[in-house]
Amino acid sequence: MNEQQRKEMNQINQANPADIKSDQEENLDRLKNIDSDELIGKYFQTTYEPPNLKKAKKRRREDVKIHYDYQVPEDMANIGKDKKFLIRTYGCQMNEHDTEVMAGLLTDMGYQSTDNAQEADIILLNTCAIRENAENKVFGEIGHLKTLKTENPDVILGVCGCMSQEESVVNRILKKHPFIDMIFGTHNIHRLPQLLKEAMFGKEMVVEVWSKEGDIIENLPKVRKGKIKGWVNIMYGCDKFCTYCIVPYTRGKERSRRPEDIIQEVRQLAAQGYKEVTLLGQNVNAYGKDLTDIEYGLGDLMDEISKIDIPRVRFTTSHPRDFDDRLIEVLAKGGNLLDHIHLPVQSGSSEVLRVMARRYTRERYLELVDKIRTAMPNATLTTDIIVGFPNETDEQFEETLSLVEEVGFESAYTFIYSPREGTPAARWEDNIPMEVKKERLQRLNKLINKQSAEAMKKYEGQTVKVLVEGESKKNPDVLAGYTERNKLVNFKAPTSAIGKIVEVKITNAKTWSLDGEMVEDAVEVK
Ligand code: SAH
Ligand code: SF4
Ligand code: F3S
């Protein structure tokens, strides 16, 4: 510990809880009266830049630094003793995995987790900015938290995740919700202990949002949500800049973790008894492009991971543009690499794809699907689709429907286009009326449901391998798990089957799930 840290430690040790409370109350009062522009200038603009396509595109050449030396600062190691934390997660799997890291950091500081907001000493909202309704949910929750803060001024409230990377969101919180204690960005997660300290003992709202994004922090502690399936980040950020999407701005540039670090993490999970890993990235097919000292891509990584003794390996999300032959060749070998591929297409119209800047056409996408099907005849394909993109005509939407049929997607996440401030598409008129967007979404969902039901029907009478995750949400007497191709199966079995891969005979198919009977009592198969 250096002199400065010792001083800070003394201050913390000597702080009287009553003083801290009054500081926080004082802070609240002060924030109510403050000129928020002054506050923004002081705490925000120095560390934040709003989305800027031109500038963001230049960032690719910047160096990536990897830090292996992470440690919770000594003076924060025990700060959470007898205290509890609650993290609400609003976003994608990467966002959920960030929650696991923050839970790890807080646990290292002595905190315990709770589901009850009333008994939490710290509440973090890990937000998502992908569509407007995701943001509205968070603002709704911030409203609820105000009551909680009034009842318990000691509770520390934090907003983090993708929304905090947006200037407009931070401004709105500073102006309208000054009772929030801290806002931090997606590049600042490892700084949680320091930020928490500032929020607890400082007088101001703590805002730290770095637009700098060059770094990868290894060895962060994690408290994973389950003991059966685990997520492993293989890369961060996205450089694809699809014209509608906020992610390249909220998550920064593409940075690949070193293969050896990823492999070590997967090995550790295997050693701990995990049965499935999902390799995560916004655009996993670009994995390795930024590793300048080695020629190494996702195919090479998957090939190595296939040799690790873990029964199931998945990856998400794939971008069709970078899905190369090497990856197809490796996936076709099977083994623990599962034959379910999530391959977002977004639209079936080449013209819409062009203005979305997806950098492939309908024809190229179909060629890729053909290649995958030739190499892996049983592969299941799922996708993401946006309807109502600016200027999307009825004919162009029909092309999406016909593509969905032609590929035979077995399920899809479907979305109504939502303009995101700072993206190129947000400057174009959002000119498809909401009724039309809704009608297109309904027609698309109807088709997807039909295809899903048909795909499910084929399983009737078949025996499938199910990784049993736990009791079914609807009925605790029934267990639930997923097949290799990610179909949800509900079946009666003793709870001793949880965490194992068992054989289940399918008796009845529904639109989104299968019912079945376990073939042998809790006998594990691989
Ligand atoms: N990286 C992934 C997707 C990340 S976001 C990929 O490229 O495939 C998940 C999905 O949200 C996207 O595939 C897209 O379908 C949808 N999405 C992203 N931005 C959106 C927006 N502005 N409006 C509506 N849907 C959007
Ligand atoms: Fe967004 Fe995915 Fe496009 Fe990246 S590849 S910009 S994350 S939709
Ligand atoms: Fe949302 Fe950020 Fe994920 S915007 S979808 S949480 S990367």
Side-chain angles (χ1 to χ4, degrees):
M1 222 187 330
N2 64 26
E3 193 51 32
Q4 177 62 24
Q5 283 170 330
R6 198 166 288 126
K7 262 193 206 153
E8 285 169 2
M9 177 95 172
N10 281 342
Q11 275 168 8
I12 293 172
N13 289 341
Q14 285 159 14
N16 174 342
D19 295 343
I20 297 163
K21 184 169 172 178
S22 62
D23 275 358
Q24 279 178 337
E25 280 164 346
E26 199 185 290
N27 190 19
L28 269 179
D29 289 343
R30 211 185 61 77
L31 283 167
K32 266 181 223 146
N33 302 323
I34 205 160
D35 169 2
S36 53
D37 289 338
E38 178 204 324
L39 195 64
I40 293 163
K42 194 164 165 201
Y43 297 102
F44 189 42
Q45 277 173 355
T46 49
T47 53
Y48 179 81
E49 285 173 52
N52 176 324
L53 182 66
K54 251 198 199 144
K55 215 167 161 200
K57 282 197 162 175
K58 283 195 196 142
R59 69 192 183 191
R60 287 178 203 174
R61 288 188 293 271
E62 286 164 20
D63 275 354
V64 174
K65 290 198 189 70
I66 309 181
H67 304 262
Y68 288 96
D69 50 0
Y70 182 79
Q71 249 185 334
V72 168
E74 250 178 78
D75 59 349
M76 291 303 280
N78 232 344
I79 198 95
K81 191 168 175 285
D82 301 325
K83 290 187 177 167
K84 295 193 170 151
F85 73 88
L86 168 65
I87 310 178
R88 290 204 203 286
T89 312
Y90 293 84
C92 60
Q93 286 146 314
M94 263 143 285
N95 192 245
E96 291 202 38
H97 189 45
D98 287 347
T99 291
E100 296 183 331
V101 172
M102 292 190 283
L105 291 165
L106 290 165
T107 304
D108 267 12
M109 287 184 264
Y111 286 92
Q112 288 183 337
S113 89
T114 175
D115 291 334
N116 180 354
Q118 300 293 334
E119 64 171 33
D121 300 280
I122 163 164
I123 300 179
L124 298 179
L125 304 184
N126 190 10
T127 63
C128 171
I130 201 82
R131 283 169 293 274
E132 197 186 348
N133 55 7
E135 297 205 351
N136 290 344
K137 266 194 232 160
V138 170
F139 279 113
E141 181 61 19
I142 291 178
H144 293 145
L145 290 179
K146 187 173 184 182
T147 324
L148 199 82
K149 184 78 178 178
T150 321
E151 287 162 9
N152 172 16
D154 279 346
V155 63
I156 298 280
L157 303 178
V159 175
C160 54
C162 287
M163 274 169 73
S164 50
Q165 293 290 138
E166 291 179 283
E167 188 178 34
S168 58
V169 168
V170 178
N171 287 348
R172 184 166 159 188
I173 295 175
L174 285 167
K175 280 194 178 142
K176 298 205 174 134
H177 311 284
F179 55 91
I180 296 293
D181 299 285
M182 54 200 251
I183 306 175
F184 58 99
T186 55
H187 309 299
N188 307 72
I189 290 175
H190 63 289
R191 299 250 314 138
L192 178 56
Q194 288 85 350
L195 299 175
L196 190 55
K197 182 163 127 188
E198 282 179 44
M200 287 169 110
F201 302 110
K203 290 189 193 304
E204 321 288 354
M205 186 193 294
V206 176
V207 180
E208 189 178 282
V209 181
W210 288 345
S211 47
K212 171 186 168 304
E213 55 228 339
D215 293 357
I216 291 180
I217 320 288
E218 288 291 345
N219 302 336
L220 290 178
K222 296 173 190 100
V223 173
R224 296 182 189 269
K225 218 169 75 182
K227 301 212 169 318
I228 302 168
K229 303 207 285 193
W231 285 308
V232 175
N233 270 127
I234 64 168
M235 61 187 300
Y236 303 94
C238 180
D239 282 343
K240 275 284 181 274
F241 296 101
C242 303
T243 51
Y244 49 82
C245 184
I246 193 82
V247 172
Y249 311 97
T250 63
R251 292 270 164 181
K253 71 168 181 168
E254 284 173 0
R255 287 99 79 206
S256 301
R257 287 178 72 194
R258 302 292 309 178
E260 55 277 18
D261 293 332
I262 298 167
I263 288 163
Q264 192 201 14
E265 190 175 340
V266 176
R267 284 214 179 106
Q268 258 174 13
L269 289 172
Q272 288 165 14
Y274 279 81
K275 293 287 158 64
E276 181 176 309
V277 287
T278 302
L279 309 179
L280 291 183
Q282 281 298 352
N283 173 17
V284 287
N285 302 80
Y287 175 77
K289 283 190 169 175
D290 58 318
L291 299 173
T292 45
D293 59 329
I294 41 173
E295 273 286 317
Y296 199 87
L298 182 63
D300 304 308
L301 181 70
M302 297 291 285
D303 203 23
E304 294 225 28
I305 291 179
S306 71
K307 294 171 197 148
I308 299 175
D309 186 18
I310 189 153
R312 292 180 168 195
V313 180
R314 300 184 193 274
F315 61 103
T316 200
T317 298
S318 276
H319 191 294
R321 164 88 185 194
D322 298 323
F323 208 109
D324 59 20
D325 293 350
R326 166 82 176 129
L327 178 63
I328 297 178
E329 171 203 315
V330 170
L331 291 178
K333 293 193 221 164
N336 59 2
L337 308 180
L338 303 182
D339 47 8
H340 165 218
I341 297 172
H342 187 66
L343 194 61
V345 67
Q346 313 300 357
S347 167
S349 149
S350 293
E351 177 52 22
V352 175
L353 290 170
R354 191 182 66 76
V355 282
M356 285 177 164
R358 290 291 288 180
R359 291 184 255 177
Y360 54 83
T361 56
R362 176 189 176 100
E363 292 68 34
R364 274 272 328 261
Y365 186 91
L366 288 171
E367 275 167 29
L368 175 61
V369 168
D370 248 10
K371 262 196 206 171
I372 294 173
R373 286 256 154 84
T374 310
M376 308 161 68
N378 297 320
T380 285
L381 289 171
T382 57
T383 200
D384 293 353
I385 294 170
I386 298 175
V387 301
F389 195 69
N391 300 323
E392 185 191 58
T393 63
D394 281 333
E395 291 72 30
Q396 288 167 339
F397 171 67
E398 295 290 338
E399 286 186 74
T400 296
L401 294 179
S402 72
L403 182 104
V404 166
E405 279 188 301
E406 199 168 333
V407 177
F409 293 117
E410 295 189 12
S411 91
Y413 295 108
T414 54
F415 309 102
I416 285 178
Y417 167 67
S418 168
R420 309 312 296 135
E421 198 184 319
T423 61
R427 292 197 294 271
W428 310 331
E429 195 193 341
D430 181 18
N431 56 1
I432 310 297
M434 190 44 94
E435 317 87 79
V436 176
K437 285 179 173 168
K438 283 191 175 156
E439 200 236 358
R440 285 183 189 167
L441 187 73
Q442 262 175 19
R443 279 184 65 199
L444 176 61
N445 286 346
K446 211 170 138 192
L447 177 62
I448 302 273
N449 285 357
K450 180 175 142 262
Q451 291 187 186
S452 174
E454 281 166 8
M456 290 299 202
K457 200 85 195 153
K458 292 194 189 130
Y459 285 97
E460 280 184 358
Q462 281 190 31
T463 299
V464 289
K465 290 178 187 170
V466 178
L467 171 55
V468 191
E469 289 184 23
E471 289 163 0
S472 137
K473 279 188 193 132
K474 288 183 198 145
N475 181 354
D477 295 336
V478 168
L479 299 187
Y482 286 86
T483 68
E484 292 178 340
R485 298 199 194 113
N486 221 20
K487 308 289 186 208
L488 174 63
V489 183
N490 292 305
F491 59 102
K492 281 218 166 93
T495 49
S496 57
I498 294 174
K500 295 183 176 153
I501 296 175
V502 298
E503 294 201 319
V504 177
K505 184 162 186 199
I506 302 304
T507 49
N508 183 31
K510 298 177 174 164
T511 306
W512 295 112
S513 66
L514 302 166
D515 293 336
E517 285 161 6
M518 198 164 82
V519 175
E520 290 159 89
D521 269 295
V523 171
E524 187 159 20
V525 290
K526 274 205 179 167

